[in-house]
């Protein structure tokens, strides 16, 4: 019988040191040594260093920390690029590159930085990198400008002290700083990447395929649209709770191929197992499932700015500017049918884009809309479209749970009231190029939003505030504009009284429903599928964090 690696290691240790140890130490001291070594080697935290191989349908399009905005990219890059603050297993904010912070005034916070931290290339981390990274995040080509809204400046005091000033009281400052990755100013200058390359415009630079952070893992290799390999950063200042020293992510678009890779043992974990196969996976004794409490909301966004839609048979006007048309479309959606027949129970119908558990959630606003196709028909007729109209419905086919199927189901529901919505599913990289706020080549799109700050304010401001090119309205692809909503959002941004702030955010959500600025459909409830020897906690943001993964 072959001994396990741990037992074999213990045997070799005692063979080589046992005699001298017994000679030099008393029997009691030797027992203590034996027990201590055994406890260390058999403790849950100490298991042999491992590689984790995981897969998903989506691909990583860029390693630039100011470019990746979907949750998968944000979490993936957080292994490489750290922030001033981080989140623990329960998603509570904790110190990271900042050891502590204290307010100097209602609009200024001083951060004391962690000493002796180095980037992966050996460059020392200093306050200069904080000031540089915040300024870079605000660049016109950055896709994370919304995370800097309200932040006026970051000023170096000395190597380990930085002051961040805001344009007013900012209750979400720490939440926003969690979403601003820190780059090396020296490295960025050396490689000519002081500004992000906007991949949506088809541009790349050195930071697109190379990375240099301070995090627990460093980029080993990156194939655009293909495999990405991370390796543990040997001199990281922190301590891994798991035993993964190498992570290999492989995008596999085909559901069947992705599932086969897990079942065969080619990969250890799937972050998006096919919903239709979850029941079969539960019956596989070599696998286990983990449901994620993700507060992502899937919704419809309209083009509300153009006087004539880009992709419709209606000429000379925009049907979506008529509230009655938007209401008709909301009434045409059978949320329960989507929940049971398409999502197979892995969703929760909802009337708001803010899920329970997020600061600012409103139960009143979250009540699902009614399903009333008869009234929907009457509203379309009253709006001047008795025979309906046609429009293209843009959606992804590799980003959200059953996104392409939802797209097709919605098209079927709209057809019953006379609206011919033609589904146009695309891989997320192409979808986001098409629907990016700088291009907005869409008339109607299905998209999902997750409040990465775990607070309703920043998400609502990013999606529904009038676009200003400075972060507010950065995700407002439809260019919805309502002065009343802008005023509410601006008031909530600076309100330090939590009860008053939550009331303002509730008013925003009720106004969204009244004006039908968007149509929330459901909260998706994803699961991970993994082999039985994998232990990992479920993150609120549906992100796999290698720091906590144990491969047994």
């Amino acid at each position: 019988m072959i001994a396990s690696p741990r037992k074999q290691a213990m045997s070799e240790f005692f063979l080589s040191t046992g005699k001298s140890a017994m000679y030099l130490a008393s029997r009691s001291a030797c027992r203590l040594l034996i027990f201590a070594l055994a406890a260390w080697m058999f403790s849950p935290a100490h298991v042999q260093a491992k590689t984790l191989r995981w897969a998903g349908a989506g691909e990583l399009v860029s390693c630039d920390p100011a470019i990746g905005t979907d949750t998968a990219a944000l979490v993936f890059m957080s292994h490489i690029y750290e922030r001033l603050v981080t989140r623990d297993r329960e998603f509570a904010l904790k110190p990271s590159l900042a050891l502590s912070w204290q307010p100097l005034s209602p609009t200024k916070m001083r951060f004391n930085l962690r000493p002796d931290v180095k980037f992966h290339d050996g460059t020392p981390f200093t306050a200069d990198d904080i000031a540089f990274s915040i300024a870079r995040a605000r660049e016109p080509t950055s896709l994370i400008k919304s995370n800097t809204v309200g932040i006026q400046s970051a000023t170096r005091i000395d190597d380990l002290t930085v002051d961040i000033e805001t344009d007013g009281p900012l209750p979400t400052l720490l939440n926003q700083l969690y979403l601003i990755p820190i780059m090396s100013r020296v490295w960025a200058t050396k490689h000519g990447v002081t500004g992000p390359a906007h991949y949506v415009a088809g541009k790349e630079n050195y930071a697109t395929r190379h990375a240099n952070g301070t995090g627990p893992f460093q980029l080993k290799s990156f194939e655009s649209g293909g495999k990405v390999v991370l390796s543990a950063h040997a001199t990281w200042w922190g301590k891994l709770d798991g035993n993964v020293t190498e992570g290999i992510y492989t995008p596999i678009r085909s559901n069947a191929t992705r599932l086969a890779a897990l079942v065969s043992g080619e990969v250890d974990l799937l972050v998006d197992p096919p919903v239709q196969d979850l029941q079969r996976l539960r019956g596989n004794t070599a696998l286990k499932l983990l449901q994620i409490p993700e507060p992502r909301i899937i919704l419809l966004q309209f083009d509300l700015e153009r006087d004539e839609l880009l992709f419709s048979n209606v000429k000379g006007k925009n049907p979506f500017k008529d509230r009655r048309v938007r209401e008709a479309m909301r009434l045409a959606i059978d949320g329960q049918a989507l929940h049971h027949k398409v999502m197979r129970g892995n969703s929760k119908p909802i009337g708001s884009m803010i899920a329970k558990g997020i600061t600012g959630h409103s139960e009143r606003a979250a009540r699902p809309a009614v399903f009333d196709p008869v009234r929907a028909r009457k509203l379309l007729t009253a709006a001047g479209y008795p025979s309906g109209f046609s429009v293209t419905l843009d959606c992804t086919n590799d980003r959200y749970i059953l996104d392409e199927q939802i797209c097709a189901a919605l098209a079927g529901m709209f057809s019953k009231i006379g609206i011919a919505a033609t589904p146009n599913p695309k891989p997320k990289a192409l979808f986001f190029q098409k629907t990016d706020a700088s291009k907005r080549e869409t008339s109607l799109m299905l998209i999902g939003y997750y409040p990465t700050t775990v607070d309703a304010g920043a998400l609502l401001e990013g999606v529904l505030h009038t676009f200003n090119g400075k972060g507010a309205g950065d995700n407002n692809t439809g260019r919805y504009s309502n002065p009343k909503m802008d005023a509410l959002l601006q008031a909530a941004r600076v309100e330090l009284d939590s009860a008053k702030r939550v009331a303002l955010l509730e008013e925003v959500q009720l106004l969204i429903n009244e004006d039908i600025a968007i149509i929330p459909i459901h909260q998706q409830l994803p699961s991970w599928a993994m082999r039985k020897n994998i232990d990992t906690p479920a993150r609120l943001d549906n992100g796999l964090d290698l720091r906590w993964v144990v491969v047994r």
Side-chain angles (χ1 to χ4, degrees):
M1 187 172 85
I2 299 175
S4 71
R6 286 182 293 182
K7 290 181 179 179
Q8 185 175 347
M10 286 186 67
S11 299
E12 291 173 354
F13 174 86
F14 289 120
L15 283 173
S16 62
T17 64
K19 292 181 180 179
S20 57
M22 291 293 288
Y23 178 77
L24 295 172
S26 66
R27 292 178 64 185
S28 60
C30 187
R31 285 196 192 98
L32 288 174
L33 177 63
I34 293 170
F35 292 149
L37 184 60
W40 173 71
M41 297 200 73
F42 287 96
S43 67
H46 181 79
V47 282
Q48 189 176 11
K50 296 284 186 178
T51 293
L52 181 80
R53 304 157 302 164
W54 82 104
E59 64 185 55
L60 185 69
V61 296
S62 175
C63 288
D64 192 315
I67 292 299
T69 56
D70 64 278
T71 306
L74 287 170
V75 175
F76 196 97
M77 296 312 295
S78 70
H79 291 91
I80 299 170
Y81 289 103
E82 294 180 291
R83 298 86 181 256
L84 282 171
V85 293
T86 188
R87 291 191 180 276
D88 62 16
R89 289 172 183 253
E90 285 69 46
F91 228 62
L93 288 168
K94 297 292 182 183
S96 181
L97 291 178
L99 277 176
S100 62
W101 47 89
Q102 58 277 337
L104 301 181
S105 76
T107 60
K108 184 182 287 188
M109 188 83 77
R110 174 159 291 177
F111 290 83
N112 306 299
L113 306 181
R114 189 177 295 278
D116 304 320
V117 175
K118 294 186 184 301
F119 286 93
H120 297 156
D121 67 351
T123 305
F125 157 71
T126 72
D128 287 333
D129 302 308
I130 303 297
F132 166 75
S133 297
I134 290 176
R136 189 178 190 271
R138 301 169 71 174
E139 287 284 322
T141 52
S142 167
L143 297 185
I144 61 171
K145 288 190 297 292
S146 60
N147 300 334
T148 69
V149 170
I151 297 176
Q152 187 168 294
S153 63
T155 305
R156 176 189 185 278
I157 304 304
D158 57 40
D159 276 357
L160 295 177
T161 312
V162 63
D163 287 352
I164 294 181
E165 194 157 3
T166 58
D167 58 13
L170 190 60
T172 59
L173 176 60
L174 292 180
N175 303 61
Q176 291 175 228
L177 291 174
Y178 167 67
L179 298 169
I180 301 177
I182 304 305
M183 289 184 77
S184 163
R185 179 185 62 81
V186 172
W187 182 83
T189 303
K190 176 182 177 181
H191 294 289
V193 293
T194 53
H198 202 324
Y199 83 90
V200 172
K203 296 181 180 178
E204 291 191 3
N205 62 17
Y206 190 79
T208 304
R209 301 175 189 277
H210 301 83
N212 179 45
T214 60
F217 289 83
Q218 57 191 44
L219 185 67
K220 189 174 180 180
S221 64
F222 170 45
E223 303 168 15
S224 182
K227 186 183 297 183
V228 186
V229 181
L230 299 175
S231 60
H233 179 200
T235 58
W236 181 50
W237 58 265
K239 177 181 176 295
L240 296 175
D241 290 335
N243 68 329
V244 173
T245 55
E246 182 182 56
I248 302 174
Y249 175 75
T250 306
I252 306 174
R253 186 167 298 162
S254 163
N255 283 343
T257 306
R258 199 163 65 253
L259 188 65
L262 176 68
V263 172
S264 68
E266 183 181 341
V267 299
D268 304 305
L269 185 149
L270 295 185
V271 292
D272 51 2
V275 169
Q276 61 271 23
D277 293 306
L278 290 181
Q279 194 57 41
R280 181 158 65 93
L281 290 174
R282 288 188 182 96
N284 189 323
T285 57
L287 306 175
K288 61 183 178 181
L289 296 178
L290 180 65
Q291 189 165 65
I292 312 299
E294 184 189 49
R296 186 183 307 280
I297 306 300
I298 306 300
L299 54 85
L300 287 170
Q301 270 186 284
F302 311 92
D303 178 351
L304 295 172
E305 182 186 47
R306 292 184 176 94
D307 292 328
E308 180 179 299
L309 294 177
L310 293 178
F311 307 103
S312 172
N313 66 344
V314 178
K315 301 304 175 186
K317 59 181 177 178
N318 179 347
F320 296 143
K321 288 192 174 187
D322 191 319
R323 183 193 178 280
R324 292 169 296 184
V325 173
R326 303 197 300 273
E327 184 177 5
M329 295 181 71
R330 183 169 69 181
L331 293 171
I333 297 173
D334 187 346
Q336 289 301 320
L338 285 172
H339 171 68
H340 291 292
K341 295 179 181 178
V342 179
M343 297 297 290
R344 293 173 170 82
N346 293 279
S347 65
K348 178 183 178 182
I350 194 169
S352 168
M353 63 186 294
I354 306 300
K356 191 172 184 178
I358 299 301
T359 301
H361 166 76
S362 166
E363 283 294 331
R364 284 200 298 161
R367 293 171 189 152
V370 298
F371 170 55
D372 190 344
V374 174
R375 176 165 163 70
R377 277 273 193 185
K378 291 178 180 177
L379 283 168
L380 273 184
T381 298
Y385 303 98
S387 301
F389 58 90
S390 67
V391 68
T392 296
L393 173 56
D394 292 302
C395 56
T396 55
N397 57 15
D398 62 354
R399 178 68 188 96
Y400 313 111
I401 300 175
L402 295 174
D403 40 13
E404 187 171 1
Q405 290 87 337
I406 296 169
C407 199
L410 288 173
M413 293 173 186
F414 293 145
S415 70
K416 292 178 181 177
I417 66 166
I419 296 177
T422 303
N424 183 32
K426 291 183 179 297
K428 68 176 184 178
L430 297 178
F431 171 85
F432 287 120
Q433 284 184 27
K434 186 177 190 290
T435 62
D436 175 74
S438 65
K439 288 188 175 181
R440 302 186 305 108
E441 294 175 354
T442 182
S443 296
L444 177 66
M445 70 175 184
L446 181 77
I447 193 168
Y449 286 110
Y450 162 80
T452 49
T453 59
V454 199
D455 182 277
L459 177 60
L460 293 170
E461 188 164 347
V463 177
L464 292 161
H465 190 287
T466 300
F467 176 76
N468 65 8
K470 299 177 181 178
D474 261 13
N475 294 312
N476 188 350
T477 303
R479 291 297 190 265
Y480 173 78
S481 183
N482 184 327
K484 182 179 178 180
M485 185 170 295
D486 291 349
L488 287 168
L489 288 168
Q490 289 163 12
R493 188 203 301 167
V494 299
E495 180 56 68
L496 297 177
D497 183 297
S498 59
K500 291 180 181 178
R501 186 167 178 275
V502 166
L504 287 167
L505 293 172
E506 179 176 60
E507 195 174 345
V508 168
Q509 292 165 75
L510 293 172
L511 180 57
I512 293 169
N513 290 354
E514 177 189 329
D515 207 21
I516 316 177
I518 55 170
I519 300 180
I521 297 171
H522 62 232
Q523 175 184 357
Q524 67 176 24
L525 301 173
S527 293
W528 292 349
M530 66 197 78
R531 303 196 68 77
K532 278 284 181 66
N533 65 321
I534 306 298
D535 289 332
T536 180
R539 281 177 57 122
L540 185 68
D541 62 358
N542 193 22
L544 180 70
D545 195 320
L546 298 180
R547 292 178 300 169
W548 302 322
V549 178
V550 173
V551 181
R552 301 192 183 278

